[in-house]
Amino acid sequence: MTPTKNISLKPFHSFGCDVNATYFTTIKSSHEIELAIDWCKKNDKPFLVLGSGTNMLFTKQVEALVLKMEIKGIQKTNETASEVYLSVGAGENWHHFVSYCVHKGWGGVENLSLIPGTVGAAPIQNIGAYGVEVKETIETITAYDTIANKWVSLNKLDSDFGYRNSLFKREKNRFIITKVDFCLQKQPKLRTDYGAIREVLHQKKIQNPSLEDVSNAIVFIRTQKLPDPKMLGNAGSFFKNPTVSINQFELLKNKYENIMAFPISDTEYKLAAGWLIEHSGWKGVKKGNIGCYEKQALVIVNYGNGTGQEILDFSAEIIQSVFQKFEVVLEREVNVI
Ligand SMILES: Cc1cc2nc3c(=O)[nH]c(=O)nc-3n(C[C@H](O)[C@H](O)[C@H](O)COP(=O)(O)OP(=O)(O)OC[C@H]3O[C@@H](n4cnc5c(N)ncnc54)[C@H](O)[C@@H]3O)c2cc1C
């Protein structure tokens, strides 16, 4: 294996910041992972796994071997009267996989339509949208464990999924995912309880929606409210929705009666980070090359030649200002390198 030296990562991540990686290679098979890890060990270099780079913020030169995941393939491995099992390569485009399932009439991932990125990255932060998380459809994950130096097959329980979190995110740079196995439903129960989905279906006069109708509605909603990374650099939601105790929520509710929040247990609430940011006065604010997106305060955008450090500094200002106003600490969802 001979990696390319000193390559710009600008085309390989959605913020479009111009940073270089000291070494770069594409990975098209499991065997190439073993070769790459071997190379890292022999040359005493770290590695960094990259999917489509839609959840990355590069703030400096990447002094590592970047492994750009390009393992493809969608294979049916089993089928029952009600379920279908699929094994999908980590480098497959996520939305392409969703569209494939929707087209076949297999339900479970349609609410995750149009989330950018690769299939292999989906378990990392347990991607979620419109009331669904990817963990619900995942059966097993095949990965190379770079600490134990062996291939592992991890099930849902092993993967320890949480809200925008998993074993893979917590144990950063330990597992390199090559394949994700999913179980999808042949007679899917549609999840249209989100107000925005219901509204679009109503507008389109669709009373008994199909999988395709739900997927199309979500694509429509997302296209309206999120910037296309090809036009405007961004990584989707920059921050996680913070969790607070019921006591803290009630104090906030007394002060800000319209605060957006929802209960997640008997003792905790999740606050809408976008609402907190917007009500701290950031929506639409632009500072030099960087800004808080005018249609969705949770998204930080790069208007052109902004650096990763400028984006990080801008996000730190938002964190500080939200804390000053609400005494709530925002945590970044994006992976800062
Ligand atoms: C416009 C927009 C909207 C978005 N909307 C959503 C949303 O609704 N919900 C949501 O959850 N996310 C959303 N995201 C975030 C992003 O799409 C997801 O996190 C996606 O899963 C990232 O995929 P990726 O291939 O680009 O991963 P990358 O950004 O390349 O990598 C993300 C992390 O995963 C690791 N990684 C990637 N591939 C592998 C692998 N094969 N093995 C091991 N580690 C790996 C990387 O090292 C990194 O730590 C959005 C992003 C954008 C730009």
Side-chain angles (χ1 to χ4, degrees):
M1 198 216 55
T2 318
T4 312
K5 283 187 191 168
N6 273 327
I7 189 168
S8 170
L9 293 178
K10 195 174 163 78
F12 299 115
H13 71 117
S14 59
F15 263 125
C17 306
D18 198 6
V19 287
N20 275 15
T22 42
Y23 300 97
F24 181 93
T25 190
T26 53
I27 298 288
K28 293 192 164 70
S29 69
S30 301
H31 179 58
E32 286 181 354
I33 288 186
E34 292 175 13
L35 295 178
I37 295 305
D38 209 38
W39 183 91
C40 287
K41 284 190 177 141
K42 281 189 184 129
N43 292 279
D44 196 20
K45 302 282 180 217
F47 67 89
L48 176 76
V49 186
L50 189 64
S52 305
T54 62
N55 205 13
M56 290 289 205
L57 178 63
F58 294 113
T59 60
K60 53 182 185 289
Q61 158 125 341
V62 180
E63 304 281 350
L65 170 63
V66 171
L67 309 177
K68 170 95 173 65
M69 298 303 288
E70 292 188 357
I71 300 174
K72 303 279 185 191
I74 304 179
Q75 265 186 323
K76 196 202 283 180
T77 53
N78 200 1
E79 190 168 4
T80 66
S82 56
E83 290 163 340
V84 59
Y85 294 82
L86 298 176
S87 186
V88 188
E92 278 292 340
N93 175 273
W94 175 261
H95 182 66
H96 168 72
F97 165 62
V98 172
S99 304
Y100 175 86
C101 297
V102 167
H103 179 70
K104 294 276 189 186
W106 300 331
V109 287
E110 58 285 354
N111 285 34
L112 306 177
S113 294
L114 212 64
I115 296 183
T118 53
V119 167
I124 307 290
Q125 71 157 9
N126 180 24
I127 57 168
Y130 300 99
V132 172
E133 289 182 327
V134 72
K135 71 171 184 189
E136 295 165 42
T137 46
I138 288 180
E139 283 287 298
T140 44
I141 289 165
T142 306
Y144 190 73
D145 179 342
T146 61
I147 291 183
N149 283 321
K150 61 174 188 182
W151 288 96
V152 290
S153 179
L154 302 164
N155 64 24
K156 219 181 275 210
L157 223 65
D158 302 324
S159 305
D160 197 16
F161 290 116
Y163 164 65
R164 299 298 176 272
N165 217 341
S166 69
L167 166 78
F168 315 106
K169 188 157 184 177
R170 275 187 286 272
E171 298 212 15
K172 240 182 189 51
N173 264 6
R174 173 170 177 181
F175 298 100
I176 305 177
I177 296 173
T178 52
K179 206 169 65 165
V180 184
D181 286 18
F182 296 88
C183 172
L184 298 157
Q185 302 303 316
K186 287 181 169 176
Q187 290 91 32
K189 278 203 189 90
L190 300 180
R191 310 266 283 271
T192 54
D193 26 338
Y194 253 74
I197 305 178
R198 280 206 309 267
E199 221 169 275
V200 173
L201 293 174
H202 179 73
Q203 275 167 16
K204 293 189 190 285
K205 299 188 174 37
I206 299 170
Q207 280 171 356
N208 296 308
S210 62
L211 275 181
E212 200 161 5
D213 293 329
V214 174
S215 175
N216 287 342
I218 286 167
V219 168
F220 177 78
I221 299 163
R222 294 183 69 100
T223 314
Q224 301 292 305
K225 73 169 202 192
L226 291 171
D228 178 353
K230 286 192 195 106
M231 315 296 288
L232 196 56
N234 77 93
S237 305
F238 199 92
F239 302 98
K240 293 185 184 185
N241 290 323
T243 301
V244 294
S245 68
I246 196 157
N247 290 347
Q248 191 176 0
F249 168 69
E250 274 163 6
L251 287 172
L252 285 165
K253 181 86 182 154
N254 284 339
K255 226 167 155 186
Y256 309 99
E257 64 174 324
N258 295 326
I259 192 165
M260 265 177 78
F262 50 96
I264 51 166
S265 70
D266 290 346
T267 55
E268 288 176 320
Y269 269 75
K270 211 168 261 307
L271 305 177
W275 190 95
L276 298 173
I277 297 167
E278 186 176 342
H279 289 82
S280 300
W282 284 93
K283 197 175 185 182
V285 170
K286 189 175 173 206
K287 288 192 171 187
N289 288 309
I290 316 301
C292 181
Y293 190 51
E294 70 220 6
K295 293 187 198 164
Q296 168 56 272
L298 203 45
V299 179
I300 294 183
V301 291
N302 181 1
Y303 285 104
N305 298 319
T307 65
Q309 189 57 49
E310 284 174 322
I311 295 169
L312 189 67
D313 293 346
F314 187 84
S315 71
E317 280 191 60
I318 293 181
I319 293 173
Q320 197 187 11
S321 126
V322 166
F323 183 73
Q324 269 168 3
K325 179 145 185 177
F326 298 105
E327 289 191 25
V328 172
V329 181
L330 290 184
E331 190 189 331
R332 293 180 183 92
E333 180 182 308
V334 171
N335 298 282
V336 180
I337 307 290

